[in-house]
Amino acid sequence: MSLSERGERTAWLSLDRYLSDIMTQITASLAHNVPEFQHALNERGQGKSFVTTEEQLVTCADCLTELERDVTLFMDDAHLLQPEDLRVFQRFLTRIPANTHIVVASREAPNLALARLRAQGELSEIGMDALKFTAEETCELLKASSVDGLCAEDAPALVDQTEGWAAGLRLATMNMVRNQKGAILDVSLSGSNSIVADFFAEDIFGAQPADVRDFLLATCLLERFTPDLCNAMTGGTDAREMLDRIEAAGLFLISLDEERMWYRYHGLFAEFLLRRLTDIDPDRIAQSHIMASRSYHRIGLMVEALDHAVRSGEQAWLAQLLDDSCEKLIYEGKILYVFELAKALDKATIAGHPRIQLAIAWMELRNLNFDKARRLIVQAEECIANQAAEGLCPEAEAELRFLAQHRRMMLAGATDDFLTVDEIAETLMKQFDEEHTFLACSVYGQQIRAQRERFRLQDFERNEARARTIGRQSQHKFAFISQKTIVGKTWFAKGDNDAAIEALEFGYGQALDFAGEDTAIAAFAALPLAEVIYERNELSRAKSLVDRYLPRARAFAFADELLAGYLVSARISFNDGDSAGAIKTLDLARSVGLELGLKRMQMKALAEKVRILLRSGNIERAARLALLEGIPTDVNALKPDINSSTTDEARALVRARILISEGNLNDALALSQRWKQFCQHRGAMRSLVRWSLIRAQILVLACDTRAAQRSLRDALLAALDGRSVRIFLDEGPHIQQLLEDAYGSGPMTNLPVDLYAYDVLNAFTIAMGTRASVEVDDLADQETGIDGKMTGRELEILSFVASGLRNREIGDRLGLTEGSVKWYMQRIYDKVGTRRRSVAVDRARQFGLLQ
């Protein structure tokens, strides 16, 4: 409800320094707007003139006292009041009655003694922050401006550029109208824009005395500043006084703290001042940047110091600053920032600064540019040796060699040289001190990763506890992201999916806090997290994470994170019936591995591709692929030994699956049994589950159902704590059939492993039911079954089955072993959705696959 609607009286007064004194202006405004006030003046016979200002003040206050209604006097442009008028107005404030309220608007804080009113609660102060327009208020302003083409979506950009400054918003709309091109409006605004610059030049900057103008130009380069910083820029000693004057004058100075020590200029005003300085004295800009950089450096604000050093163009000073600060900045997670700063330096300058070389090398490792990183490390080591020969102090030399060794370890880890990682990590751990907590986190993390990939998991929990303790001491969020990602993947390898998810969710949360969503740093933890939650059969979230972060991962990742993304993406595509898309993704992964020289990535992508090809019935293609990739045919060359790695396991998986498809069950069984025993001994529970399932499938084809059931139960027991699901489903129909035979009928038990088996079987039923409903409708038009296109060999075998031949007889006709025919029959059963020979033939005829 407005004041007038409440029956109160209002008066408006726009002050003018060139008109009469303050009390005459106040009296005239009240008399014009408030009839009762005019009547009171007339009764006193003093409506026209007063002898003294004091008499006028007393009479005005007395007349206000006689009014029955409240009166509100609005006084605009109070910054125009002269000192004498301010003193009179101060006395007037002490005399006004309770029914009178005064609203004072000013561009600057009025020089009035308001402490008593403030203490008595009789003063309400509305500062610049409260007067800023919000996005919603700006929307209303845009609607009222009646400018064609403006819409609510423009409001946030305008608020950001003007910082909610009302006059600035008005200038922005005027600028948009002036620069409108057809139906297109440009909502951008800067302090150098003519319409804004004219306002600042005429109404603000030009109205200031020379010393204030000089101060503004000398300090306009500073993003934030204190009086001491300003003194450094001006060469004076009166910055505190000048800032007080500028703040009191309302010259777009914004205080950043309660103590009024830190300030900044309004963004548009700072841009105007910089443009003015450039126009007046362009040669002064570079010099001012150097002064600003040195001033910020003296008080430890390295980011500001570096930013101004870059803009100064002074190579030697920038190199010195970056050399001093690059390691600390990396520990704070500003590795990308360091990398960008280094681009401003020429090669000759970088060559004399080994710290900068080693910092760039670390970023190149994150970018998977291993050759560049290797060259930089070598150059840094040569530079360190040269500086040592020239008299570098032993302490500085030792520190630089420590950093070089750390980068050597990181390079070894990135290129899967895990034995070297272990050796260097042991050396570095002996040199840690309180200043190296960040590096300690990375060393423990790389050692955990190296030991995981070499199946050396026995010391993991002890190393993880040490790494966690050091991580807490370091308080570096950036270190936690990498550490928790490595730890999470290691828990996953050990079969503890709960611990893996906890670690990866924490790392992902730290990444989001640190860098935000949809960033390469967030991808670092997001893709391994997608792999674990895929295993839990949470396909929707896994797909969402992969779709969001896989395209960003190469900008800041190791092979582990990229590979996790590729594998999950391929598996989801295959499960959705897109075999071609799955193969394409895995070929991309193999291509990246080949480009980077990462055999582990190549082999793991190959193992997954072979699995998908065999599930799709492409046996010949899978066998050719294994041959081309040089997978040994001698199973003895693929059996694990003390130095085996996950790369060796991937090779063995490829050969084991090929052997099964070819009917060479004895060799496949021997290979799978050795790997199963090895994984069990090493505590690699996820690999143990996989090999147990492969062994179970071999035993099914060998007609040893009892042994197959025992191997399946071994897999269930190994996977029980982690509650894995997809590792069973992705192995396909043999495992489903074994589960159905064991748990699909008969009384249910309450044993944990049996309850878990029921859950897996239920997941099979849901997954296979969904796939059947998707693909059966396509069979009338395509030679496609549940899992893909029926191959020529499968149709040939099915025609023999229709003629009544048994497996051995079919094998004799086609030159196959009986085991191979059984394997093909399992593929056929999967595709037509049955386990009975007669029903398979009937359905094939129904689908038009057989005459």
Side-chain angles (χ1 to χ4, degrees):
M1 181 182 295
S2 67
L3 295 174
S4 59
E5 289 174 336
R6 295 203 318 234
E8 298 184 21
R9 296 302 191 186
T10 59
W12 184 276
L13 171 58
S14 292
L15 292 165
D16 191 328
R17 72 177 67 182
Y18 301 111
L19 294 180
S20 54
D21 62 85
I22 179 67
M23 285 310 305
T24 298
Q25 293 185 62
I26 291 174
T27 303
S29 176
L30 289 170
H32 178 73
N33 291 283
V34 183
E36 297 90 339
F37 182 87
Q38 178 67 65
H39 179 71
L41 279 177
N42 292 336
E43 283 189 342
R44 284 172 169 73
Q46 295 176 319
K48 294 183 179 181
S49 63
F50 294 90
V51 176
T52 65
T53 299
E54 187 66 23
E55 179 186 355
Q56 188 178 22
L57 187 155
V58 173
T59 300
C60 185
D62 290 343
C63 290
L64 288 171
T65 303
E66 294 177 10
L67 300 184
E68 296 181 357
R69 299 182 182 183
D70 281 9
V71 177
T72 300
L73 172 63
F74 293 88
M75 297 173 58
D76 196 12
D77 292 332
H79 53 279
L80 300 177
L81 289 175
Q82 298 303 304
E84 178 59 32
D85 286 331
L86 279 171
R87 286 192 290 272
V88 172
F89 183 60
Q90 179 80 62
R91 296 201 304 274
F92 178 64
L93 289 178
T94 64
R95 297 294 298 269
I96 59 174
N99 67 341
T100 302
H101 314 283
I102 297 180
V103 178
V104 177
S106 174
R107 286 186 183 176
E108 60 189 59
N111 188 19
L112 295 170
L114 302 173
R116 183 182 60 81
L117 294 174
R118 189 179 292 118
Q120 293 174 347
E122 297 178 2
L123 176 68
S124 295
E125 295 172 279
I126 303 174
M128 185 168 58
D129 288 339
L131 292 173
K132 289 180 180 178
F133 272 54
T134 64
E136 293 77 12
E137 291 165 342
T138 302
C139 284
E140 295 300 318
L141 178 66
L142 294 179
K143 292 176 184 177
S145 68
S146 301
V147 178
D148 294 337
L150 282 175
C151 59
E153 287 73 18
D154 298 323
L158 287 173
V159 171
D160 184 58
Q161 293 167 23
T162 63
E163 301 186 41
W165 173 38
L169 289 168
R170 179 57 182 158
L171 292 172
T173 57
M174 294 168 61
N175 180 63
M176 285 186 283
V177 173
R178 175 186 293 183
N179 298 322
Q180 185 170 3
K181 298 177 181 180
I184 300 175
L185 279 173
D186 182 8
V187 298
S188 63
L189 190 71
S190 73
S192 59
N193 183 280
S194 62
I195 198 168
V196 179
D198 289 346
F199 172 82
F200 282 136
E202 296 171 9
D203 282 29
I204 307 299
F205 186 77
Q208 303 308 312
D211 61 339
V212 172
R213 294 199 303 270
D214 291 343
F215 184 90
L216 291 171
L217 292 175
T219 58
C220 66
L221 284 170
L222 302 174
E223 291 81 5
R224 53 174 176 150
F225 45 84
T226 64
D228 288 342
L229 280 170
C230 292
N231 283 329
M233 295 297 292
T234 63
T237 59
D238 61 345
R240 174 77 270 175
E241 177 188 344
M242 291 297 295
L243 288 172
D244 289 342
R245 285 175 60 189
I246 291 170
E247 186 175 28
L251 295 184
F252 296 90
L253 182 68
I254 299 171
S255 177
L256 301 178
D257 56 20
E258 292 294 331
E259 293 78 18
R260 295 172 62 247
M261 287 300 299
W262 282 97
Y263 297 88
R264 70 174 178 85
Y265 294 122
H266 187 286
L268 293 177
F269 191 50
E271 289 173 356
F272 160 77
L273 292 172
L274 181 57
R275 177 61 180 271
R276 176 59 65 96
L277 178 62
T278 304
D279 291 341
I280 295 173
D281 189 0
D283 295 336
R284 184 177 168 188
I285 299 297
Q287 180 185 0
S288 295
H289 278 303
I290 283 289
M291 293 173 61
S293 178
R294 294 184 184 279
S295 299
Y296 278 125
H297 177 246
R298 277 194 293 271
I299 60 175
L301 294 178
M302 291 306 303
V303 171
E304 287 89 341
L306 286 162
D307 286 345
H308 284 283
V310 170
R311 283 180 271 177
S312 75
E314 180 59 48
Q315 290 264 313
W317 173 245
L318 173 59
Q320 179 184 332
L321 283 183
L322 191 56
D323 191 82
D324 290 343
S325 61
C326 58
E327 281 294 315
K328 184 175 185 294
L329 289 170
I330 289 174
Y331 303 163
E332 293 171 355
K334 296 183 175 69
I335 187 170
L336 297 173
Y337 175 65
V338 170
F339 193 56
E340 289 301 314
L341 289 173
K343 291 179 181 179
L345 296 171
D346 56 45
K347 291 183 178 180
T349 302
I350 292 174
H353 295 273
R355 276 193 181 84
I356 299 177
Q357 291 172 318
L358 293 172
I360 300 172
W362 200 345
M363 187 60 209
E364 294 292 6
L365 288 174
R366 285 301 189 194
N367 286 336
L368 305 180
N369 296 323
F370 303 144
D371 289 340
K372 286 184 179 180
R374 187 177 289 107
R375 287 196 298 271
L376 284 162
I377 294 170
V378 170
Q379 291 168 9
E381 290 172 336
E382 291 173 353
C383 186
I384 294 167
N386 291 336
Q387 290 183 0
E390 294 172 0
L392 181 69
C393 72
E395 293 80 7
E397 180 187 355
E399 174 69 13
L400 288 172
R401 293 195 181 281
F402 177 85
L403 295 177
Q405 278 291 91
H406 176 266
R407 301 306 186 269
R408 284 277 179 193
M409 183 204 68
M410 297 298 290
L411 175 62
T415 55
D416 291 350
D417 184 0
F418 299 123
L419 183 60
T420 299
V421 171
D422 250 350
E423 292 173 353
I424 297 178
E426 290 297 329
T427 300
L428 292 176
M429 286 177 183
K430 297 174 183 177
Q431 304 176 51
F432 287 150
D433 56 35
E434 293 182 358
E435 294 184 2
H436 291 133
T437 54
F438 181 93
L439 295 181
C441 285
S442 70
V443 169
Y444 274 111
Q446 288 303 313
Q447 187 178 54
I448 288 171
R449 179 172 171 268
Q451 292 175 351
R452 178 189 73 220
E453 297 303 319
R454 296 172 64 211
F455 290 100
R456 298 173 181 270
L457 298 169
Q458 62 273 16
D459 294 329
F460 163 63
E461 293 185 38
R462 182 176 71 247
N463 289 337
E464 189 274 334
R466 290 174 180 170
R468 189 172 356 109
T469 300
I470 293 173
R472 289 199 192 101
Q473 293 172 354
S474 75
Q475 292 298 308
H476 290 300
K477 203 175 270 191
F478 189 52
F480 269 119
I481 298 168
S482 176
Q483 183 189 102
K484 289 298 183 181
T485 299
I486 292 170
V487 166
K489 282 189 65 68
T490 308
W491 281 121
F492 186 48
K494 285 179 63 67
D496 192 337
N497 293 343
D498 287 335
I501 290 173
E502 180 181 355
L504 291 168
E505 290 280 19
F506 183 86
Y508 180 47
Q510 292 284 296
L512 293 181
D513 289 345
F514 182 80
E517 293 187 353
D518 299 329
T519 59
I521 292 177
F524 196 73
L527 293 177
L529 176 61
E531 186 178 23
V532 183
I533 61 178
Y534 169 85
E535 184 56 54
R536 283 285 179 84
N537 212 24
E538 298 176 24
L539 303 187
S540 177
R541 189 182 178 210
K543 184 178 187 304
S544 175
L545 288 171
V546 168
D547 289 348
R548 172 180 287 185
Y549 290 109
L550 185 55
R552 297 168 172 81
R554 191 161 180 179
F556 194 84
F558 278 146
D560 289 345
E561 293 73 45
L562 270 176
L563 182 60
Y566 286 133
L567 292 179
V568 173
S569 179
R571 288 165 183 165
I572 290 174
S573 294
F574 180 66
N575 295 333
D576 289 342
D578 183 10
S579 299
I583 295 299
K584 182 178 179 181
T585 298
L586 293 169
D587 283 342
L588 177 59
R590 293 174 62 224
S591 174
V592 172
L594 182 63
E595 174 193 344
L596 301 176
L598 297 176
K599 201 66 178 177
R600 180 166 59 104
M601 177 178 279
Q602 296 176 59
M603 284 298 108
K604 288 193 175 184
L606 174 65
E608 187 63 20
K609 182 175 180 179
V610 166
R611 182 188 73 83
I612 288 175
L613 288 173
L614 293 176
R615 284 289 308 275
S616 302
N618 294 310
I619 300 173
E620 293 85 355
R621 184 180 172 189
R624 286 197 306 272
L625 187 59
L627 185 63
L628 287 172
E629 292 294 333
I631 304 299
T633 55
D634 180 5
V635 296
N636 291 318
L638 293 168
K639 290 177 180 177
D641 59 35
I642 191 172
N643 294 316
S644 290
S645 68
T646 57
T647 306
D648 300 318
E649 182 191 24
R651 290 192 184 94
L653 282 168
V654 171
R655 179 52 61 197
R657 294 190 190 279
I658 298 294
L659 289 171
I660 296 170
S661 69
E662 293 173 344
N664 190 347
L665 303 183
N666 288 334
D667 282 351
L669 190 63
L671 183 60
S672 64
Q673 180 63 19
R674 285 290 298 273
W675 271 99
K676 178 185 175 184
Q677 292 171 345
F678 174 79
C679 294
Q680 188 167 21
H681 177 69
R682 293 297 183 92
M685 303 307 288
R686 178 167 172 76
S687 293
L688 173 60
V689 173
R690 184 185 296 111
W691 284 107
S692 296
L693 292 173
I694 288 174
R695 187 169 181 274
Q697 294 174 80
I698 298 169
L699 292 168
V700 167
L701 295 173
C703 300
D704 192 347
T705 305
R706 294 294 184 188
Q709 290 287 3
R710 290 195 295 272
S711 192
L712 172 65
R713 194 165 183 85
D714 289 342
L716 289 167
L717 287 168
L720 176 60
D721 290 341
R723 309 294 293 183
S724 294
V725 175
R726 288 306 317 185
I727 196 168
F728 291 87
L729 271 61
D730 290 345
E731 289 299 329
H734 288 123
I735 302 304
Q736 182 182 11
Q737 189 63 54
L738 284 172
L739 283 167
E740 288 177 349
D741 292 344
Y743 299 98
S745 60
M748 296 181 65
T749 74
N750 289 323
L751 292 174
V753 67
D754 289 345
L755 294 174
Y756 171 48
Y758 298 140
D759 289 341
V760 175
L761 180 56
N762 184 56
F764 254 119
T765 303
I766 294 171
M768 300 307 290
T770 301
R771 296 177 68 188
S773 67
V774 169
E775 299 196 27
V776 166
D777 290 341
D778 297 335
L779 287 172
D781 300 321
Q782 306 176 36
E783 291 184 358
T784 303
I786 293 174
D787 251 342
K789 188 175 181 179
M790 192 79 77
T791 67
R793 177 68 80 185
E794 290 165 349
L795 289 172
E796 191 175 21
I797 290 174
L798 193 57
S799 66
F800 283 127
V801 172
S803 300
L805 273 69
R806 298 178 180 176
N807 289 345
R808 179 171 295 179
E809 295 168 333
I810 295 171
D812 291 341
R813 296 281 184 95
L814 298 177
L816 299 174
T817 65
E818 184 177 1
S820 292
V821 175
K822 288 181 179 179
W823 192 92
Y824 277 111
M825 288 303 302
Q826 293 294 333
R827 305 268 63 76
I828 293 168
Y829 290 155
D830 186 27
K831 291 182 178 183
V832 298
T834 185
R835 289 291 182 267
R836 297 184 182 180
R837 295 167 76 91
S838 60
V839 175
V841 171
D842 289 342
R843 288 190 180 177
R845 286 172 175 157
Q846 176 187 349
F847 298 150
L849 302 179
L850 293 177
Q851 298 297 321

